[in-house]
């Protein structure tokens, strides 16, 4: 187990020594990366002597090693842990500012990231810091939030670095959880996963020239001005597909139901609420698209009438009359030209059987069958377990992060396109 430990400039920097020792006791090799401010609080030699590795504190230190250091570390660690993390560091991570080794390591790391902030109570409570924390959490960054207590600035409140044992336990839990999920390099479950991830890694900019239309998130069907019918979709799966498609060079239009995610960079995001609004936007953008991926969890029914005022309580029972919503996927299938059409099927039983039925009934090229009965797959989690169902059969994908699943799904959609092209000779 290899962990990169980032240390930033804060009075709690000395506690990072304890964190490092705790990690070592749990069997981790620790590569320390210090910001230049951190070196004002604790000398790099302290960390170097205990970790047994040279401490990195500069982006441009001369070295005989021809490797690009931050990439080498980013690719080899099981976790990037920053303890303590200052308000400045959180702002840099949240905004992708890469102006020193640690912040550059963050944006090149594929490993999970754990952050343990420490700062003055006002700095921690400031809306800017809280907004950065929210952004990072949405992006999947793990946190050990600061505790309350007497702070170095002689005030009492939240901002104190969490206890080193708590930080160590959380770090180990993340690395071991990831291994159980099959992400351990070289582990048995990792073999299948790594081969899928490696397979797609070579498809850089293979979607250049495509216009990918994606739906994501839930829909919200109003009952009255303050109540509605919705579901647990967080939008993470659809947003990951949008992000992956944009990274691979596509023009991307994302039609999103109500979610709390930030629009992915470089993606034209259209916010909608109801199934009808989603239907209208999809049909408007369908003609210019070349590939359509419908990951949204669209309500199948909506209230027949939406009350103009808040419905008052009356009687013991309340009956809501519902009607079918537009089936957006079927409508797109009926109106499409040469677009590759990918639908999802969220299932809790007979997953493949139901997906095959949807493939046929909804007229898609590919159905991503999503087993949503497991805790680590489907709605509102970071990972997903899907099976790709086409007219040729079903391909099961091991548990992967949604961003990796996104790349795999896009590759499968391109494979469908290649196959269609070779059959028609176009
Ligand atoms: O958003 P997350 O929290 O990341 O969760 C991801 C997810 C579980 C929502 C996603 O992976 C998923 O499975 N999405 C499809 C959810 C769903 O509603 O499945 P369905 O089997 O009910 O619908 C089948 C297909 O028809 C879907 O592509 C759906 O977008 C589409 N549909 C459904 C109803 C409707 N009225 N119009 C549609 O277009």
């Amino acid at each position: 187990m290899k962990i990169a430990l980032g240390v930033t400039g804060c009075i709690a920097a000395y506690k990072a020594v304890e964190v490092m020792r705790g990690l070592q006791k749990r069997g981790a090799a620790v590569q320390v990366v210090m910001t230049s401010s951190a070196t004002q609080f604790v000398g790099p030699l302290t960390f170097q002597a205990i970790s047994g590795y040279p401490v990195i504190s500069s982006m441009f230190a001369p070295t005989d090693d021809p490797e690009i250091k931050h990439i080498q570390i980013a690719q080899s660690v099981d976790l990037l842990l920053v303890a303590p993390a200052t308000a400045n560091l959180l702002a840099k991570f949240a905004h992708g500012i890469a102006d020193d080794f640690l912040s550059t390591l963050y944006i090149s790391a594929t490993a999970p990231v754990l952050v343990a902030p420490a700062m003055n109570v006002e700095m921690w409570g400031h809306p800017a810091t809280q907004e950065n924390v929210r952004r990072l959490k949405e992006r999947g960054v793990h946190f050990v939030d600061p505790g309350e207590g007497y702070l170095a600035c002689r005030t009492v409140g939240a901002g104190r670095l969490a206890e080193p044992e708590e930080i160590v336990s959380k770090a180990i839990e993340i690395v071991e959880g990831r291994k159980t999920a099959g992400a351990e390099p070289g582990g048995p479950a990792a073999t299948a996963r790594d081969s899928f991830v490696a397979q797609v890694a070579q498809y850089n900019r293979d979607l250049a020239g495509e216009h990918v239309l994606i739906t994501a998130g839930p829909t919200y069907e109003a009952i009255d001005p303050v109540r509605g019918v919705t579901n647990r979709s967080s939008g993470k799966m659809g947003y990951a597909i949008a992000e992956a498609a944009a990274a691979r060079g596509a023009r991307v239009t994302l039609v999103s139901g109500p979610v709390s995610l930030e629009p992915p960079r470089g993606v034209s995001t259209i916010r909608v609420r109801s199934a009808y609004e989603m239907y209208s936007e999809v049909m408007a953008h369908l003609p210019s698209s070349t590939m359509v991926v419908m990951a949204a969890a669209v309500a199948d029914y909506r209230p027949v009438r939406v009350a103009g005022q808040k419905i008052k309580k009356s009687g013991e029972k309340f009956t809501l009359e519902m009607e079918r919503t537009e089936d957006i996927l079927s409508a797109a299938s009926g109106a499409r030209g040469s677009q590759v059409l990918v639908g999802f099927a969220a299932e809790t039983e007979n997953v493949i059987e139901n997906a095959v039925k949807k493939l046929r009934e909804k007229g898609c090229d590919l159905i991503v069958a999503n087993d949503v009965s497991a805790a680590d797959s489907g709605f509102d989690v970071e990972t997903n377990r899907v099976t790709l169902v086409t007219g040729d059969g079903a391909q099961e994908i091991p548990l992967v992060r949604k961003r990796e699943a996104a790349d795999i799904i896009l590759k499968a959609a391109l494979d469908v396109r290649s196959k269609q092209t070779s059959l028609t000779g176009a």
Side-chain angles (χ1 to χ4, degrees):
M1 180 185 354
K2 190 166 176 194
I3 294 178
L5 173 61
V7 185
T8 65
C10 148
I11 193 75
Y14 73 94
K15 291 191 184 169
V17 178
E18 224 179 302
V19 172
M20 181 178 65
R21 294 192 72 110
L23 292 170
Q24 286 175 318
K25 280 188 196 148
R26 304 287 292 268
V30 184
Q31 167 68 67
V32 176
V33 177
M34 299 179 79
T35 62
S36 66
S37 317
T39 63
Q40 302 291 317
F41 291 88
V42 186
L45 261 182
T46 307
F47 288 105
Q48 184 160 320
I50 302 173
S51 71
Y53 291 98
V55 168
I56 299 172
S57 55
S58 160
M59 190 77 196
F60 304 107
T63 166
D64 295 336
D65 188 350
E67 294 287 341
I68 303 172
K69 205 73 187 159
H70 62 277
I71 301 291
Q72 186 196 7
I73 295 175
Q75 289 175 348
S76 65
V77 294
D78 297 299
L79 178 75
L80 167 59
L81 162 64
V82 186
T86 56
N88 183 50
L89 185 281
L90 296 177
K92 285 207 240 177
F93 277 15
H95 295 276
I97 296 168
D99 63 352
D100 62 6
F101 196 96
L102 184 55
S103 50
T104 308
L105 180 60
Y106 167 69
I107 59 165
S108 33
T110 50
V113 178
L114 171 63
V115 170
M119 63 197 77
N120 156 274
V121 61
E122 305 298 344
M123 291 168 81
W124 175 244
H126 194 281
T129 305
Q130 288 304 311
E131 171 64 17
N132 292 332
V133 170
R134 188 186 61 76
R135 265 190 195 207
L136 290 169
K137 283 186 177 171
E138 273 174 16
R139 222 181 270 162
V141 172
H142 303 269
F143 273 76
V144 183
D145 284 340
E148 295 206 2
Y150 185 72
L151 304 175
C153 50
R154 296 180 189 83
T155 52
V156 176
R160 192 186 156 106
L161 183 71
E163 289 307 318
E165 309 87 78
E166 193 189 340
I167 299 170
V168 170
S169 300
K170 181 76 184 171
I172 301 296
E173 183 191 307
I174 294 169
V175 175
E176 290 185 344
R178 200 163 178 251
K179 284 178 182 169
T180 318
E184 184 187 16
T191 322
R193 175 194 171 278
D194 288 350
S195 81
F196 277 112
V197 175
Q199 224 178 37
V200 296
Q202 57 185 297
Y203 286 95
N204 261 346
R205 300 202 65 80
D206 56 347
L207 291 173
E210 301 278 352
H211 175 198
V212 186
L213 175 60
I214 298 162
T215 67
T219 62
Y220 179 93
E221 311 302 327
I223 297 172
D224 69 11
V226 295
R227 303 183 183 95
V229 179
T230 187
N231 61 66
R232 284 178 40 229
S233 170
S234 63
K236 286 177 185 163
M237 188 65 248
Y239 275 57
I241 298 170
E243 188 186 298
R248 287 161 68 163
R251 176 184 151 209
V252 183
T253 302
L254 173 64
V255 183
S256 169
V259 298
S260 57
L261 303 177
E262 290 275 314
R265 211 167 11 168
V267 168
S268 161
T269 305
I270 301 163
R271 303 254 191 207
V272 297
R273 220 157 87 111
S274 64
Y276 180 73
E277 287 170 14
M278 187 173 275
Y279 162 78
S280 304
E281 290 297 341
V282 166
M283 297 316 275
H285 290 88
L286 182 69
S288 65
S289 68
T290 58
M291 197 176 271
V292 185
V293 185
M294 299 220 188
V298 186
D300 287 320
Y301 293 91
R302 70 178 148 236
V304 171
R305 280 170 296 278
V306 181
Q309 304 299 328
K310 184 180 168 211
I311 299 170
K312 295 275 179 235
K313 189 163 47 192
S314 69
E316 281 308 304
K317 290 193 176 158
F318 175 75
T319 306
L320 190 61
E321 196 186 351
M322 310 272 277
E323 64 185 9
R324 288 292 295 266
T325 54
E326 296 69 25
D327 188 322
I328 308 170
L329 186 53
S330 299
S333 168
R336 74 168 153 157
S338 58
Q339 293 93 338
V340 175
L341 185 57
V342 181
F344 271 66
E347 305 293 344
T348 52
E349 57 182 351
N350 307 325
V351 178
I352 307 303
E353 205 180 307
N354 288 333
V356 169
K357 202 161 156 238
K358 279 184 185 157
L359 180 77
R360 212 178 31 245
E361 287 176 356
K362 300 211 178 203
C364 319
D365 299 305
L366 167 66
I367 282 277
V368 180
N370 202 166
D371 183 349
V372 294
S373 61
D376 55 5
S377 172
F379 289 89
D380 201 15
V381 285
E382 302 302 324
T383 48
N384 216 353
R385 186 178 283 109
V386 298
T387 301
L388 306 176
V389 179
T390 64
D392 292 337
Q395 185 191 10
E396 204 177 317
I397 308 299
L399 185 76
V400 287
R401 294 183 73 74
K402 283 186 174 164
R403 181 60 174 75
E404 291 162 351
D407 267 326
I408 293 164
I409 292 162
L410 289 169
K411 178 184 177 298
L414 272 179
D415 288 348
V416 168
R417 152 84 49 71
S418 312
K419 194 154 177 236
Q420 286 170 347
T421 312
S422 71
L423 285 175
T424 57

